[in-house]
Amino acid sequence: MDIASTTGTQESPEEQQLRNTLARNLIEVGAARSAPVVAAFRAVRRHLAAPEADMGSTYEPETPTITKTDEHGVHISSVSAPRIQAMQLEQAELEPGMSVLEIGSGGVNAALIAEIVGKSGHVVTMDIDPDVTDRALRFLKVTGYQNVTVLTDDAETGAPERGPFDRIIVTVQAADIPPAWRDQLKDGGRLVVPLRMRGMTRTVAFVRNGEKLVSDGFELCGFVPMQGLGENRVRLAVLHDGKKEQVGLRLDGHPEPDTAVLATSLTLPQAKVWSGVTLGGSESSEHLDLWLTTALDNLPLMAAEPGARTRGLVASASPMGIPALVDGDSFAYRTVRATDEEDRYELGAIAHGPRGEQVAERLVEEIRTWDRDHRSHRAHIEVYPAGTADDRLPATGRRIERRHTRVTITWP
């Protein structure tokens, strides 16, 4: 249904100050770089999308606003953190007059897009969950956006009656790209999607080139997973299940591990191997991790709760996961240690199991390869339709097979 304008609620000086502060913060961290994106964040009254939340928290750059959880307490809908929203809007390269499809609703991001494309443009925002679209409708009505249409439907088939679109922006984690998203995008148009590749999610800006999607930059991110026909969640293989001490491997097309054997290995003394490769304190390991998953076959992510680190089971605890090389009864994961140089850390591997040191050496060797050959490079990602012949794909790199697509990751 289309949104009709209403008067909305009275603005307060505090609210305007929060919006201005948010815009300034997004500029400072490099998330908002263009004038239209900055102006959109200064204009959109995002706190009205979650009236039950503390108003100030909705304007925190790094804080998503959770709007719905499932029966297990898993977050299934949220208003994305402003920094992530700004990042995707910059990736989309929106212009006035464009037609945009947003997949994964909530209202706030649709309003930001509407601000940028203007009255001559149009936004279609869709979600499978009627609770989510009802919330979006209420928000868009009270904030008065007339150039937005809200649809309740499974986005696997897109919105064919509304396309083709200049841009498609996906705000939920996707493991695959349905043909409808490509087909409803104009040739040369941009698809911005948080694409999960072997457990690692990056929001990738793709440009359509006929039947192929070609990456034009990507950023590290985290999103709630997609529901409906396109649902394809990571599975956790648990190695240790103590209270607040859980350790597991996030599997995304990786070989099935022998969890009983690896659980035993987790209790054995650690082996440590250091690479001699260092990172600055503010330098991200995201490109290294993407290299590792390109180069190594069995590299799931090791997720651990803080209690597991406190107890000494693992040296690092991350809910998102740390790359871990698994080989039968042994595994090794990436780690760091401080150096004599201030705010600089050496990369290495910690291993468990009878052959842990050998596995750690393999992981460290790829860290050194990245440092020597690819540190200044960025991966190139392409998406081809499923069924594309091997000889039409890049000859080197990593291939990820999904139901609808064949994804390739290559490096210069």
Side-chain angles (χ1 to χ4, degrees), residues 51-64:
E52 70 280 6
D54 172 70
M55 182 168 72
S57 70
T58 65
Y59 290 93
E60 290 292 330
E62 300 288 348
T63 305

Side-chain angles (χ1 to χ4, degrees), residues 22-23 25-26 29 31-32 37 41 46 56-65 79-89 108-109 112:
L22 172 60
N25 288 338
L26 293 174
V29 299
V37 171
F41 278 93
R46 60 186 303 118
S57 70
T58 65
Y59 290 93
E60 290 292 330
E62 300 288 348
T63 305
T65 303
V79 177
S80 297
R83 183 182 67 83
I84 299 295
Q85 290 178 319
M87 195 166 65
Q88 284 201 305
L89 293 174
V108 173
N109 206 56
L112 292 165

Side-chain angles (χ1 to χ4, degrees), residues 329-375:
D329 58 3
S330 304
F331 69 100
Y333 57 91
R334 177 179 55 71
T335 190
V336 296
R337 67 177 176 182
T339 67
D340 293 337
E341 189 176 350
E342 185 179 357
D343 201 32
R344 197 150 192 92
Y345 301 86
E346 183 182 6
L347 292 158
I350 293 179
H352 299 264
R355 294 175 299 104
E357 188 168 355
Q358 295 171 255
V359 179
E361 288 282 4
R362 284 172 52 204
L363 184 58
V364 162
E365 184 55 40
E366 289 303 336
I367 292 174
R368 293 176 181 139
T369 299
W370 167 78
D371 180 59
R372 183 182 65 245
D373 298 337
H374 298 295
R375 187 162 188 152

Side-chain angles (χ1 to χ4, degrees), residues 1-78:
M1 63 187 74
D2 293 308
I3 303 301
S5 178
T6 61
T7 304
T9 60
Q10 185 68 35
E11 293 188 48
S12 66
E14 177 192 7
E15 176 194 331
Q16 185 61 63
Q17 183 178 356
L18 285 168
R19 295 207 304 269
N20 289 338
T21 300
L22 172 60
R24 184 169 62 251
N25 288 338
L26 293 174
I27 293 170
E28 289 174 354
V29 299
R33 302 184 301 275
S34 64
V37 171
V38 173
F41 278 93
R42 291 191 190 279
V44 173
R45 307 175 68 193
R46 60 186 303 118
H47 66 283
L48 297 178
E52 70 280 6
D54 172 70
M55 182 168 72
S57 70
T58 65
Y59 290 93
E60 290 292 330
E62 300 288 348
T63 305
T65 303
I66 305 303
T67 56
K68 189 173 182 179
T69 58
D70 66 14
E71 66 275 16
H72 305 295
V74 176
H75 300 158
I76 58 174
S77 182
S78 68

